[in-house]
PDB file of all heavy atoms in Angstrom:
ATOM      1  N   GLN A   2      11.150   4.730  -2.129  1.00 59.00           N
ATOM      2  CA  GLN A   2      12.333   4.159  -1.489  1.00 59.00           C
ATOM      3  C   GLN A   2      12.774   5.017  -0.298  1.00 59.00           C
ATOM      4  O   GLN A   2      13.171   4.487   0.734  1.00 59.00           O
ATOM      5  CB  GLN A   2      13.461   4.017  -2.491  1.00 59.00           C
ATOM      6  CG  GLN A   2      14.676   3.305  -1.920  1.00 59.00           C
ATOM      7  CD  GLN A   2      15.791   3.164  -2.935  1.00 59.00           C
ATOM      8  OE1 GLN A   2      15.754   3.746  -4.002  1.00 59.00           O
ATOM      9  NE2 GLN A   2      16.791   2.392  -2.586  1.00 59.00           N
ATOM     10  N   ALA A   3      12.690   6.325  -0.416  1.00 62.00           N
ATOM     11  CA  ALA A   3      13.100   7.206   0.672  1.00 62.00           C
ATOM     12  C   ALA A   3      12.163   7.098   1.875  1.00 62.00           C
ATOM     13  O   ALA A   3      12.590   7.205   3.014  1.00 62.00           O
ATOM     14  CB  ALA A   3      13.147   8.654   0.181  1.00 62.00           C
ATOM     15  N   TRP A   4      10.878   6.862   1.629  1.00 58.00           N
ATOM     16  CA  TRP A   4       9.890   6.768   2.704  1.00 58.00           C
ATOM     17  C   TRP A   4       9.807   5.371   3.300  1.00 58.00           C
ATOM     18  O   TRP A   4       9.352   5.198   4.430  1.00 58.00           O
ATOM     19  CB  TRP A   4       8.513   7.156   2.178  1.00 58.00           C
ATOM     20  CG  TRP A   4       8.376   8.603   1.851  1.00 58.00           C
ATOM     21  CD1 TRP A   4       8.496   9.174   0.616  1.00 58.00           C
ATOM     22  CD2 TRP A   4       8.108   9.663   2.752  1.00 58.00           C
ATOM     23  NE1 TRP A   4       8.306  10.527   0.705  1.00 58.00           N
ATOM     24  CE2 TRP A   4       8.055  10.853   2.008  1.00 58.00           C
ATOM     25  CE3 TRP A   4       7.898   9.726   4.129  1.00 58.00           C
ATOM     26  CZ2 TRP A   4       7.809  12.090   2.581  1.00 58.00           C
ATOM     27  CZ3 TRP A   4       7.644  10.955   4.711  1.00 58.00           C
ATOM     28  CH2 TRP A   4       7.608  12.121   3.932  1.00 58.00           C
ATOM     29  N   GLN A   5      10.209   4.366   2.552  1.00 58.00           N
ATOM     30  CA  GLN A   5      10.031   2.966   2.934  1.00 58.00           C
ATOM     31  C   GLN A   5      10.586   2.606   4.310  1.00 58.00           C
ATOM     32  O   GLN A   5       9.908   1.937   5.073  1.00 58.00           O
ATOM     33  CB  GLN A   5      10.600   2.067   1.829  1.00 58.00           C
ATOM     34  CG  GLN A   5      10.467   0.592   2.057  1.00 58.00           C
ATOM     35  CD  GLN A   5      11.726   0.003   2.653  1.00 58.00           C
ATOM     36  OE1 GLN A   5      12.834   0.460   2.406  1.00 58.00           O
ATOM     37  NE2 GLN A   5      11.550  -1.000   3.458  1.00 58.00           N
ATOM     38  N   PRO A   6      11.769   3.077   4.715  1.00 57.00           N
ATOM     39  CA  PRO A   6      12.254   2.721   6.059  1.00 57.00           C
ATOM     40  C   PRO A   6      11.326   3.195   7.179  1.00 57.00           C
ATOM     41  O   PRO A   6      11.224   2.550   8.214  1.00 57.00           O
ATOM     42  CB  PRO A   6      13.617   3.418   6.148  1.00 57.00           C
ATOM     43  CG  PRO A   6      14.045   3.576   4.729  1.00 57.00           C
ATOM     44  CD  PRO A   6      12.773   3.816   3.959  1.00 57.00           C
ATOM     45  N   TYR A   7      10.629   4.305   6.965  1.00 54.00           N
ATOM     46  CA  TYR A   7       9.732   4.834   7.989  1.00 54.00           C
ATOM     47  C   TYR A   7       8.441   4.027   8.107  1.00 54.00           C
ATOM     48  O   TYR A   7       7.764   4.086   9.121  1.00 54.00           O
ATOM     49  CB  TYR A   7       9.410   6.300   7.711  1.00 54.00           C
ATOM     50  CG  TYR A   7      10.647   7.153   7.676  1.00 54.00           C
ATOM     51  CD1 TYR A   7      11.188   7.583   6.475  1.00 54.00           C
ATOM     52  CD2 TYR A   7      11.302   7.496   8.857  1.00 54.00           C
ATOM     53  CE1 TYR A   7      12.342   8.348   6.448  1.00 54.00           C
ATOM     54  CE2 TYR A   7      12.456   8.257   8.844  1.00 54.00           C
ATOM     55  CZ  TYR A   7      12.964   8.681   7.625  1.00 54.00           C
ATOM     56  OH  TYR A   7      14.113   9.430   7.600  1.00 54.00           O
ATOM     57  N   ALA A   8       8.106   3.283   7.085  1.00 61.00           N
ATOM     58  CA  ALA A   8       6.902   2.454   7.114  1.00 61.00           C
ATOM     59  C   ALA A   8       7.068   1.261   8.047  1.00 61.00           C
ATOM     60  O   ALA A   8       6.093   0.649   8.443  1.00 61.00           O
ATOM     61  CB  ALA A   8       6.544   1.977   5.707  1.00 61.00           C
ATOM     62  N   LYS A   9       8.298   0.936   8.387  1.00 54.00           N
ATOM     63  CA  LYS A   9       8.551  -0.188   9.281  1.00 54.00           C
ATOM     64  C   LYS A   9       8.289   0.183  10.735  1.00 54.00           C
ATOM     65  O   LYS A   9       8.135  -0.676  11.575  1.00 54.00           O
ATOM     66  CB  LYS A   9       9.990  -0.685   9.111  1.00 54.00           C
ATOM     67  CG  LYS A   9      10.253  -1.276   7.743  1.00 54.00           C
ATOM     68  CD  LYS A   9      11.686  -1.722   7.611  1.00 54.00           C
ATOM     69  CE  LYS A   9      11.953  -2.270   6.219  1.00 54.00           C
ATOM     70  NZ  LYS A   9      13.332  -2.691   6.059  1.00 54.00           N
ATOM     71  N   ASP A  10       8.232   1.483  11.022  1.00 57.00           N
ATOM     72  CA  ASP A  10       7.961   1.947  12.380  1.00 57.00           C
ATOM     73  C   ASP A  10       6.461   1.810  12.656  1.00 57.00           C
ATOM     74  O   ASP A  10       5.649   1.964  11.763  1.00 57.00           O
ATOM     75  CB  ASP A  10       8.367   3.410  12.556  1.00 57.00           C
ATOM     76  CG  ASP A  10       9.866   3.611  12.427  1.00 57.00           C
ATOM     77  OD1 ASP A  10      10.605   2.639  12.651  1.00 57.00           O
ATOM     78  OD2 ASP A  10      10.281   4.734  12.089  1.00 57.00           O
ATOM     79  N   GLU A  11       6.122   1.561  13.879  1.00 61.00           N
ATOM     80  CA  GLU A  11       4.726   1.418  14.255  1.00 61.00           C
ATOM     81  C   GLU A  11       4.076   2.738  14.661  1.00 61.00           C
ATOM     82  O   GLU A  11       2.935   2.761  15.098  1.00 61.00           O
ATOM     83  CB  GLU A  11       4.597   0.398  15.405  1.00 61.00           C
ATOM     84  CG  GLU A  11       4.908  -1.024  14.981  1.00 61.00           C
ATOM     85  CD  GLU A  11       3.958  -1.556  13.931  1.00 61.00           C
ATOM     86  OE1 GLU A  11       2.745  -1.270  14.007  1.00 61.00           O
ATOM     87  OE2 GLU A  11       4.434  -2.240  13.013  1.00 61.00           O
ATOM     88  N   ASP A  12       4.796   3.858  14.491  1.00 61.00           N
ATOM     89  CA  ASP A  12       4.240   5.138  14.919  1.00 61.00           C
ATOM     90  C   ASP A  12       3.176   5.664  13.972  1.00 61.00           C
ATOM     91  O   ASP A  12       2.473   6.611  14.287  1.00 61.00           O
ATOM     92  CB  ASP A  12       5.343   6.180  15.100  1.00 61.00           C
ATOM     93  CG  ASP A  12       6.025   6.557  13.800  1.00 61.00           C
ATOM     94  OD1 ASP A  12       5.641   6.047  12.739  1.00 61.00           O
ATOM     95  OD2 ASP A  12       6.957   7.379  13.844  1.00 61.00           O
ATOM     96  N   GLY A  13       3.045   5.051  12.799  1.00 59.00           N
ATOM     97  CA  GLY A  13       2.009   5.457  11.866  1.00 59.00           C
ATOM     98  C   GLY A  13       2.345   6.679  11.043  1.00 59.00           C
ATOM     99  O   GLY A  13       1.489   7.186  10.330  1.00 59.00           O
ATOM    100  N   GLY A  14       3.565   7.193  11.120  1.00 84.00           N
ATOM    101  CA  GLY A  14       3.935   8.365  10.338  1.00 84.00           C
ATOM    102  C   GLY A  14       3.821   8.133   8.847  1.00 84.00           C
ATOM    103  O   GLY A  14       3.332   8.970   8.109  1.00 84.00           O
ATOM    104  N   VAL A  15       4.271   6.972   8.387  1.00 90.00           N
ATOM    105  CA  VAL A  15       4.202   6.607   6.978  1.00 90.00           C
ATOM    106  C   VAL A  15       3.577   5.216   6.883  1.00 90.00           C
ATOM    107  O   VAL A  15       3.992   4.292   7.580  1.00 90.00           O
ATOM    108  CB  VAL A  15       5.602   6.580   6.320  1.00 90.00           C
ATOM    109  CG1 VAL A  15       5.512   6.109   4.881  1.00 90.00           C
ATOM    110  CG2 VAL A  15       6.251   7.955   6.397  1.00 90.00           C
ATOM    111  N   VAL A  16       2.581   5.098   6.030  1.00 93.00           N
ATOM    112  CA  VAL A  16       1.940   3.810   5.783  1.00 93.00           C
ATOM    113  C   VAL A  16       2.036   3.545   4.289  1.00 93.00           C
ATOM    114  O   VAL A  16       1.696   4.405   3.480  1.00 93.00           O
ATOM    115  CB  VAL A  16       0.454   3.820   6.225  1.00 93.00           C
ATOM    116  CG1 VAL A  16      -0.232   2.512   5.868  1.00 93.00           C
ATOM    117  CG2 VAL A  16       0.341   4.100   7.713  1.00 93.00           C
ATOM    118  N   ILE A  17       2.517   2.359   3.923  1.00 94.00           N
ATOM    119  CA  ILE A  17       2.565   1.954   2.519  1.00 94.00           C
ATOM    120  C   ILE A  17       1.566   0.822   2.347  1.00 94.00           C
ATOM    121  O   ILE A  17       1.630  -0.189   3.058  1.00 94.00           O
ATOM    122  CB  ILE A  17       3.977   1.507   2.101  1.00 94.00           C
ATOM    123  CG1 ILE A  17       4.979   2.637   2.309  1.00 94.00           C
ATOM    124  CG2 ILE A  17       3.974   1.057   0.630  1.00 94.00           C
ATOM    125  CD1 ILE A  17       6.424   2.255   2.025  1.00 94.00           C
ATOM    126  N   LEU A  18       0.630   1.009   1.432  1.00 96.00           N
ATOM    127  CA  LEU A  18      -0.406   0.017   1.179  1.00 96.00           C
ATOM    128  C   LEU A  18      -0.200  -0.652  -0.166  1.00 96.00           C
ATOM    129  O   LEU A  18       0.011   0.021  -1.176  1.00 96.00           O
ATOM    130  CB  LEU A  18      -1.788   0.670   1.199  1.00 96.00           C
ATOM    131  CG  LEU A  18      -2.222   1.332   2.497  1.00 96.00           C
ATOM    132  CD1 LEU A  18      -3.601   1.969   2.321  1.00 96.00           C
ATOM    133  CD2 LEU A  18      -2.231   0.338   3.645  1.00 96.00           C
ATOM    134  N   ASP A  19      -0.280  -1.963  -0.171  1.00 97.00           N
ATOM    135  CA  ASP A  19      -0.208  -2.765  -1.392  1.00 97.00           C
ATOM    136  C   ASP A  19      -1.634  -3.102  -1.797  1.00 97.00           C
ATOM    137  O   ASP A  19      -2.332  -3.842  -1.101  1.00 97.00           O
ATOM    138  CB  ASP A  19       0.591  -4.042  -1.103  1.00 97.00           C
ATOM    139  CG  ASP A  19       0.868  -4.873  -2.334  1.00 97.00           C
ATOM    140  OD1 ASP A  19       0.074  -4.808  -3.304  1.00 97.00           O
ATOM    141  OD2 ASP A  19       1.868  -5.607  -2.332  1.00 97.00           O
ATOM    142  N   ALA A  20      -2.093  -2.549  -2.912  1.00 98.00           N
ATOM    143  CA  ALA A  20      -3.462  -2.743  -3.375  1.00 98.00           C
ATOM    144  C   ALA A  20      -3.635  -4.021  -4.197  1.00 98.00           C
ATOM    145  O   ALA A  20      -4.732  -4.307  -4.661  1.00 98.00           O
ATOM    146  CB  ALA A  20      -3.907  -1.529  -4.192  1.00 98.00           C
ATOM    147  N   ARG A  21      -2.559  -4.789  -4.357  1.00 97.00           N
ATOM    148  CA  ARG A  21      -2.632  -6.027  -5.129  1.00 97.00           C
ATOM    149  C   ARG A  21      -3.280  -7.134  -4.296  1.00 97.00           C
ATOM    150  O   ARG A  21      -3.587  -6.942  -3.135  1.00 97.00           O
ATOM    151  CB  ARG A  21      -1.232  -6.469  -5.568  1.00 97.00           C
ATOM    152  CG  ARG A  21      -0.496  -5.407  -6.378  1.00 97.00           C
ATOM    153  CD  ARG A  21       0.943  -5.791  -6.665  1.00 97.00           C
ATOM    154  NE  ARG A  21       1.654  -6.092  -5.429  1.00 97.00           N
ATOM    155  CZ  ARG A  21       2.613  -7.016  -5.321  1.00 97.00           C
ATOM    156  NH1 ARG A  21       2.990  -7.722  -6.362  1.00 97.00           N
ATOM    157  NH2 ARG A  21       3.209  -7.222  -4.155  1.00 97.00           N
ATOM    158  N   GLY A  22      -3.426  -8.292  -4.878  1.00 96.00           N
ATOM    159  CA  GLY A  22      -4.035  -9.423  -4.189  1.00 96.00           C
ATOM    160  C   GLY A  22      -3.102 -10.092  -3.202  1.00 96.00           C
ATOM    161  O   GLY A  22      -1.885  -9.874  -3.198  1.00 96.00           O
ATOM    162  N   GLU A  23      -3.689 -10.943  -2.357  1.00 95.00           N
ATOM    163  CA  GLU A  23      -2.924 -11.608  -1.301  1.00 95.00           C
ATOM    164  C   GLU A  23      -1.819 -12.493  -1.862  1.00 95.00           C
ATOM    165  O   GLU A  23      -0.705 -12.509  -1.331  1.00 95.00           O
ATOM    166  CB  GLU A  23      -3.863 -12.445  -0.429  1.00 95.00           C
ATOM    167  CG  GLU A  23      -3.150 -13.112   0.723  1.00 95.00           C
ATOM    168  CD  GLU A  23      -4.094 -13.863   1.647  1.00 95.00           C
ATOM    169  OE1 GLU A  23      -5.316 -13.864   1.411  1.00 95.00           O
ATOM    170  OE2 GLU A  23      -3.596 -14.456   2.617  1.00 95.00           O
ATOM    171  N   LYS A  24      -2.082 -13.220  -2.934  1.00 95.00           N
ATOM    172  CA  LYS A  24      -1.062 -14.098  -3.520  1.00 95.00           C
ATOM    173  C   LYS A  24       0.151 -13.294  -3.958  1.00 95.00           C
ATOM    174  O   LYS A  24       1.295 -13.659  -3.659  1.00 95.00           O
ATOM    175  CB  LYS A  24      -1.647 -14.865  -4.704  1.00 95.00           C
ATOM    176  CG  LYS A  24      -0.675 -15.813  -5.371  1.00 95.00           C
ATOM    177  CD  LYS A  24      -1.353 -16.578  -6.504  1.00 95.00           C
ATOM    178  CE  LYS A  24      -0.391 -17.547  -7.127  1.00 95.00           C
ATOM    179  NZ  LYS A  24       0.184 -17.052  -8.367  1.00 95.00           N
ATOM    180  N   ASP A  25      -0.079 -12.176  -4.641  1.00 96.00           N
ATOM    181  CA  ASP A  25       1.019 -11.317  -5.079  1.00 96.00           C
ATOM    182  C   ASP A  25       1.782 -10.754  -3.888  1.00 96.00           C
ATOM    183  O   ASP A  25       3.007 -10.697  -3.892  1.00 96.00           O
ATOM    184  CB  ASP A  25       0.504 -10.161  -5.942  1.00 96.00           C
ATOM    185  CG  ASP A  25       0.017 -10.621  -7.303  1.00 96.00           C
ATOM    186  OD1 ASP A  25       0.517 -11.634  -7.810  1.00 96.00           O
ATOM    187  OD2 ASP A  25      -0.876  -9.945  -7.851  1.00 96.00           O
ATOM    188  N   TYR A  26       1.040 -10.334  -2.875  1.00 97.00           N
ATOM    189  CA  TYR A  26       1.658  -9.762  -1.678  1.00 97.00           C
ATOM    190  C   TYR A  26       2.577 -10.769  -0.997  1.00 97.00           C
ATOM    191  O   TYR A  26       3.706 -10.453  -0.645  1.00 97.00           O
ATOM    192  CB  TYR A  26       0.568  -9.278  -0.708  1.00 97.00           C
ATOM    193  CG  TYR A  26       1.112  -8.650   0.548  1.00 97.00           C
ATOM    194  CD1 TYR A  26       1.416  -7.301   0.589  1.00 97.00           C
ATOM    195  CD2 TYR A  26       1.330  -9.406   1.697  1.00 97.00           C
ATOM    196  CE1 TYR A  26       1.916  -6.709   1.746  1.00 97.00           C
ATOM    197  CE2 TYR A  26       1.828  -8.828   2.855  1.00 97.00           C
ATOM    198  CZ  TYR A  26       2.121  -7.485   2.868  1.00 97.00           C
ATOM    199  OH  TYR A  26       2.625  -6.910   4.007  1.00 97.00           O
ATOM    200  N   VAL A  27       2.089 -11.979  -0.818  1.00 96.00           N
ATOM    201  CA  VAL A  27       2.879 -13.019  -0.143  1.00 96.00           C
ATOM    202  C   VAL A  27       4.127 -13.368  -0.947  1.00 96.00           C
ATOM    203  O   VAL A  27       5.206 -13.573  -0.386  1.00 96.00           O
ATOM    204  CB  VAL A  27       2.013 -14.272   0.119  1.00 96.00           C
ATOM    205  CG1 VAL A  27       2.855 -15.448   0.591  1.00 96.00           C
ATOM    206  CG2 VAL A  27       0.932 -13.961   1.151  1.00 96.00           C
ATOM    207  N   GLU A  28       4.008 -13.372  -2.269  1.00 96.00           N
ATOM    208  CA  GLU A  28       5.161 -13.695  -3.129  1.00 96.00           C
ATOM    209  C   GLU A  28       6.223 -12.613  -3.095  1.00 96.00           C
ATOM    210  O   GLU A  28       7.392 -12.882  -3.322  1.00 96.00           O
ATOM    211  CB  GLU A  28       4.686 -13.937  -4.563  1.00 96.00           C
ATOM    212  CG  GLU A  28       3.941 -15.246  -4.720  1.00 96.00           C
ATOM    213  CD  GLU A  28       3.410 -15.454  -6.125  1.00 96.00           C
ATOM    214  OE1 GLU A  28       3.624 -14.586  -7.013  1.00 96.00           O
ATOM    215  OE2 GLU A  28       2.768 -16.494  -6.340  1.00 96.00           O
ATOM    216  N   GLY A  29       5.830 -11.370  -2.831  1.00 96.00           N
ATOM    217  CA  GLY A  29       6.805 -10.290  -2.737  1.00 96.00           C
ATOM    218  C   GLY A  29       6.137  -8.934  -2.686  1.00 96.00           C
ATOM    219  O   GLY A  29       5.210  -8.667  -3.445  1.00 96.00           O
ATOM    220  N   HIS A  30       6.616  -8.087  -1.760  1.00 96.00           N
ATOM    221  CA  HIS A  30       6.067  -6.748  -1.608  1.00 96.00           C
ATOM    222  C   HIS A  30       7.145  -5.807  -1.090  1.00 96.00           C
ATOM    223  O   HIS A  30       8.214  -6.247  -0.666  1.00 96.00           O
ATOM    224  CB  HIS A  30       4.851  -6.747  -0.672  1.00 96.00           C
ATOM    225  CG  HIS A  30       5.114  -7.381   0.658  1.00 96.00           C
ATOM    226  ND1 HIS A  30       4.956  -8.736   0.875  1.00 96.00           N
ATOM    227  CD2 HIS A  30       5.538  -6.869   1.831  1.00 96.00           C
ATOM    228  CE1 HIS A  30       5.263  -9.016   2.134  1.00 96.00           C
ATOM    229  NE2 HIS A  30       5.627  -7.905   2.735  1.00 96.00           N
ATOM    230  N   ILE A  31       6.861  -4.525  -1.139  1.00 94.00           N
ATOM    231  CA  ILE A  31       7.777  -3.524  -0.608  1.00 94.00           C
ATOM    232  C   ILE A  31       7.867  -3.743   0.903  1.00 94.00           C
ATOM    233  O   ILE A  31       6.835  -3.823   1.576  1.00 94.00           O
ATOM    234  CB  ILE A  31       7.285  -2.104  -0.938  1.00 94.00           C
ATOM    235  CG1 ILE A  31       7.304  -1.874  -2.449  1.00 94.00           C
ATOM    236  CG2 ILE A  31       8.139  -1.053  -0.215  1.00 94.00           C
ATOM    237  CD1 ILE A  31       6.679  -0.563  -2.891  1.00 94.00           C
ATOM    238  N   PRO A  32       9.073  -3.865   1.439  1.00 91.00           N
ATOM    239  CA  PRO A  32       9.214  -4.086   2.879  1.00 91.00           C
ATOM    240  C   PRO A  32       8.482  -3.017   3.700  1.00 91.00           C
ATOM    241  O   PRO A  32       8.573  -1.826   3.407  1.00 91.00           O
ATOM    242  CB  PRO A  32      10.725  -4.010   3.108  1.00 91.00           C
ATOM    243  CG  PRO A  32      11.302  -4.452   1.800  1.00 91.00           C
ATOM    244  CD  PRO A  32      10.375  -3.859   0.764  1.00 91.00           C
ATOM    245  N   GLY A  33       7.750  -3.475   4.684  1.00 88.00           N
ATOM    246  CA  GLY A  33       6.993  -2.581   5.542  1.00 88.00           C
ATOM    247  C   GLY A  33       5.606  -2.250   5.025  1.00 88.00           C
ATOM    248  O   GLY A  33       4.814  -1.646   5.741  1.00 88.00           O
ATOM    249  N   SER A  34       5.310  -2.652   3.797  1.00 93.00           N
ATOM    250  CA  SER A  34       3.979  -2.362   3.257  1.00 93.00           C
ATOM    251  C   SER A  34       2.949  -3.304   3.869  1.00 93.00           C
ATOM    252  O   SER A  34       3.276  -4.374   4.369  1.00 93.00           O
ATOM    253  CB  SER A  34       3.968  -2.467   1.736  1.00 93.00           C
ATOM    254  OG  SER A  34       4.184  -3.792   1.313  1.00 93.00           O
ATOM    255  N   ARG A  35       1.716  -2.866   3.803  1.00 94.00           N
ATOM    256  CA  ARG A  35       0.613  -3.645   4.357  1.00 94.00           C
ATOM    257  C   ARG A  35      -0.371  -3.961   3.247  1.00 94.00           C
ATOM    258  O   ARG A  35      -0.678  -3.110   2.416  1.00 94.00           O
ATOM    259  CB  ARG A  35      -0.074  -2.864   5.468  1.00 94.00           C
ATOM    260  CG  ARG A  35       0.882  -2.611   6.625  1.00 94.00           C
ATOM    261  CD  ARG A  35       0.319  -1.594   7.588  1.00 94.00           C
ATOM    262  NE  ARG A  35       1.294  -1.274   8.599  1.00 94.00           N
ATOM    263  CZ  ARG A  35       1.465  -1.953   9.730  1.00 94.00           C
ATOM    264  NH1 ARG A  35       0.736  -3.012   9.973  1.00 94.00           N
ATOM    265  NH2 ARG A  35       2.371  -1.574  10.601  1.00 94.00           N
ATOM    266  N   LEU A  36      -0.870  -5.170   3.279  1.00 97.00           N
ATOM    267  CA  LEU A  36      -1.830  -5.613   2.269  1.00 97.00           C
ATOM    268  C   LEU A  36      -3.167  -4.909   2.475  1.00 97.00           C
ATOM    269  O   LEU A  36      -3.697  -4.869   3.580  1.00 97.00           O
ATOM    270  CB  LEU A  36      -2.008  -7.127   2.360  1.00 97.00           C
ATOM    271  CG  LEU A  36      -3.033  -7.756   1.416  1.00 97.00           C
ATOM    272  CD1 LEU A  36      -2.673  -7.500  -0.042  1.00 97.00           C
ATOM    273  CD2 LEU A  36      -3.126  -9.255   1.684  1.00 97.00           C
ATOM    274  N   CYS A  37      -3.693  -4.359   1.391  1.00 97.00           N
ATOM    275  CA  CYS A  37      -5.029  -3.778   1.386  1.00 97.00           C
ATOM    276  C   CYS A  37      -5.595  -3.968  -0.016  1.00 97.00           C
ATOM    277  O   CYS A  37      -5.753  -3.013  -0.779  1.00 97.00           O
ATOM    278  CB  CYS A  37      -4.991  -2.306   1.786  1.00 97.00           C
ATOM    279  SG  CYS A  37      -6.633  -1.635   2.133  1.00 97.00           S
ATOM    280  N   HIS A  38      -5.839  -5.232  -0.355  1.00 97.00           N
ATOM    281  CA  HIS A  38      -6.310  -5.598  -1.693  1.00 97.00           C
ATOM    282  C   HIS A  38      -7.556  -4.785  -2.044  1.00 97.00           C
ATOM    283  O   HIS A  38      -8.568  -4.834  -1.332  1.00 97.00           O
ATOM    284  CB  HIS A  38      -6.616  -7.096  -1.720  1.00 97.00           C
ATOM    285  CG  HIS A  38      -6.982  -7.606  -3.071  1.00 97.00           C
ATOM    286  ND1 HIS A  38      -7.698  -8.753  -3.236  1.00 97.00           N
ATOM    287  CD2 HIS A  38      -6.719  -7.153  -4.319  1.00 97.00           C
ATOM    288  CE1 HIS A  38      -7.882  -8.995  -4.515  1.00 97.00           C
ATOM    289  NE2 HIS A  38      -7.293  -8.023  -5.195  1.00 97.00           N
TER     290      HIS A  38
END
Side-chain angles (χ1 to χ4, degrees):
Q2 186 180 10
W4 290 98
Q5 181 264 329
Y7 301 103
K9 294 179 182 179
D10 294 336
E11 291 297 321
D12 66 2
V15 176
V16 176
I17 301 175
L18 299 178
D19 187 333
R21 303 173 305 146
E23 183 176 359
K24 181 178 182 260
D25 290 332
Y26 181 88
V27 170
E28 288 177 1
H30 53 272
I31 295 173
S34 67
R35 297 168 186 273
L36 177 60
C37 192
H38 185 202

